[in-house]
């Protein structure tokens, strides 16, 4: 947990304001200051509340900069503040204060892990509580695995949907563990199975271990709508995850008697989608009763995938020479192009190469839980 104190923010502002190039000026009379404890408590609140608290920390002199704190660089905020201060006796000092306030605000908002589109951020906090930005997730996972010897001699194996929006998380983990082995297919199911796991195990650097990351994905667009997202170069949103949405339509049809169950696929050209729909059938009733099917859908898919991954890992771990297997499962949350994606971790475990659970690491990264209304099948 963060233990920063009010003095941290004040010292940062003071050091900047007393630099030899600028003459320090007192804050406006009556300016209120919020402690960082208030800001930490705002982690689960809406972005607007966080911005309001951040403004109190910076004081009146930085209020203009803070209004655009989510739009880096901070220099832009400083420029705006200077423009608004024309006619003042000491424009340079005002600019310095605004610039410092912008830096502090950006740092505070980064610590709060809040996106810059309020509608998107608010919806993620509401329906996927505990979701973390990719940057924060990778940092926490890497830190937690250090005690097990994970580092550059480790390998990342992912089971994520084929959708291009999911390559971002793989790239973020590759910055820590170099390479990525892909086991996944449509909707994130580990279609590579035990064969892919065994092949991946033989690619782990000598003396190293592997991290398996799996889960379905879901989009949240700029209006806060779940199940769709604006992709690169496209002004309007599209289904996300398309495979999952199609499967939910099939499941609904079977559940209401308007469609027949799939038989075994006769060809390979759409075998994966056939499988996704079949694996989702046990969740038909809860999806039909859901307040928002697009919210419950990724939770149901995660539950189905978790069982598959558990079996693959416990039966295939013997393929790993002398390292360990850590397994991170959850829900990817894709956001509009240019925004950070999020990941809601729901499980984090470490196994030995005999397939035995060594330690449940869920608390180390504050994993979330399946909602009470989402029955585990």
């Amino acid at each position: 947990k963060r233990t920063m104190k009010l003095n941290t923010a004040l010292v940062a502002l003071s050091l900047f304001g007393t630099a030899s190039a600028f003459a320090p000026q007192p804050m406006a009379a009556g300016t209120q200051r919020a402690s960082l404890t208030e800001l930490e408590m705002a982690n689960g609140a809406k972005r607007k509340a966080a911005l309001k608290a951040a403004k109190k920390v910076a004081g009146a002199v930085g209020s203009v900069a803070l209004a655009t704190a989510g739009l880096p660089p901070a220099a832009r905020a400083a420029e705006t503040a200077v423009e608004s201060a024309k006619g003042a006796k000491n424009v340079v000092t005002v600019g310095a204060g605004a610039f410092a306030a912008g830096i502090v605000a950006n740092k505070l908002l980064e610590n709060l892990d809040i996106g810059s589109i309020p509608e998107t951020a608010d919806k993620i906090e509401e329906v996927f509580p505990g979701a973390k930005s990719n940057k924060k997730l990778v940092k926490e996972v890497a830190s937690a695995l250090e005690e097990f010897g994970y580092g550059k001699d480790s390998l990342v194996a992912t089971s994520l949907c084929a959708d291009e929006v999911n390559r971002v998380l793989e790239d973020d983990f590759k910055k820590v563990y170099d390479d990525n082995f892909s086991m996944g297919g449509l909707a994130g199911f580990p279609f590579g199975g035990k064969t892919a796991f065994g092949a991946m195990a033989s690619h782990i650097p000598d003396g190293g271990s592997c991290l398996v990351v799996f889960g379905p994905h879901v989009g949240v667009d700029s209006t806060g709508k779940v199940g769709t997202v604006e992709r690169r170069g496209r002004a309007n949103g599209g289904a996300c995850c398309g495979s999952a949405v199609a499967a939910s339509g099939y499941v609904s049809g079977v559940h209401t008697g308007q469609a027949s169950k799939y038989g075994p696929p006769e060809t390979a050209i759409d075998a994966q989608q056939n499988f996704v729909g079949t694996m989702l059938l046990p969740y038909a009733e809860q999806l039909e009763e859901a307040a928002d099917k697009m919210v419950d859908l990724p939770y149901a898919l995660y539950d189905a995938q978790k069982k598959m991954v558990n079996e693959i890992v416990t039966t295939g771990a013997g393929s790993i020479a002398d390292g360990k297997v850590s397994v991170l499962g959850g829900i990817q949350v894709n956001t509009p192009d240019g925004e950070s994606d999020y990941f809601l971790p729901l499980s984090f475990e470490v196994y030995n190469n005999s397939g035995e659970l060594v330690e449940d690491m869920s608390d180390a990264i504050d994993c979330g839980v399946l909602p009470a209304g989402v029955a585990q099948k």
Side-chain angles (χ1 to χ4, degrees), residues 160-170 217 332 334 341:
L160 306 173
C161 184
D163 195 321
E164 76 278 2
V165 295
N166 299 315
R167 307 289 73 81
V168 178
L169 182 61
E170 292 175 340
H217 71 113
Q332 286 193 89
N334 306 122
D341 282 348

Side-chain angles (χ1 to χ4, degrees), residues 36-264:
L36 293 188
T37 300
E38 288 176 298
L39 288 172
E40 289 168 358
M41 292 174 64
N43 197 18
K46 296 185 176 181
R47 177 181 172 78
K48 291 180 180 178
L51 281 170
K52 183 178 179 180
K55 286 181 181 180
K56 291 179 182 178
V57 173
V61 73
S63 61
V64 176
L66 285 168
T68 56
L71 301 174
R76 177 178 173 183
E79 181 181 355
T80 302
V82 171
E83 283 296 317
S84 67
K86 284 182 177 179
K89 291 183 179 180
N90 198 336
V91 173
V92 173
T93 300
V94 174
F99 184 79
I103 292 175
V104 172
N106 268 316
K107 186 62 178 176
L108 293 174
L109 292 174
E110 179 181 336
N111 287 338
L112 287 170
D113 210 29
I114 296 172
S116 63
I117 302 179
E119 293 80 4
T120 305
D122 290 350
K123 179 55 70 171
I124 292 173
E125 291 171 1
E126 175 190 345
V127 299
F128 302 114
K132 309 169 186 291
S133 65
N134 283 7
K135 180 180 179 180
K136 184 174 183 179
L137 174 77
V138 172
K139 181 178 180 180
E140 291 183 357
V141 169
S143 177
L145 291 178
E146 284 181 355
E147 66 175 285
F148 296 100
Y150 277 71
K152 287 297 184 181
D153 60 352
S154 302
L155 180 66
V156 177
T158 58
S159 182
L160 306 173
C161 184
D163 195 321
E164 76 278 2
V165 295
N166 299 315
R167 307 289 73 81
V168 178
L169 182 61
E170 292 175 340
D171 291 341
D172 288 338
F173 271 110
K174 283 163 61 177
K175 294 174 184 176
V176 178
Y177 300 118
D178 283 338
D179 293 321
N180 171 71
F181 186 101
S182 181
M183 297 171 52
L186 293 182
F189 280 92
F191 286 108
K194 289 177 60 177
T195 299
F197 187 88
M200 177 276 298
S202 68
H203 300 174
I204 299 173
D206 294 340
S209 298
C210 72
L211 165 64
V212 177
V213 181
F214 77 93
H217 71 113
V218 63
V220 179
D221 70 13
S222 60
T223 69
K225 183 178 180 180
V226 180
T228 181
V229 73
E230 298 92 341
R231 300 170 187 275
R232 179 178 61 87
R234 298 182 66 88
N236 297 320
C240 184
C241 164
S243 171
V245 172
S248 69
Y250 158 73
V251 167
S252 177
V254 172
H255 182 69
T256 58
Q258 298 176 2
S260 300
K261 289 185 179 180
Y262 292 145

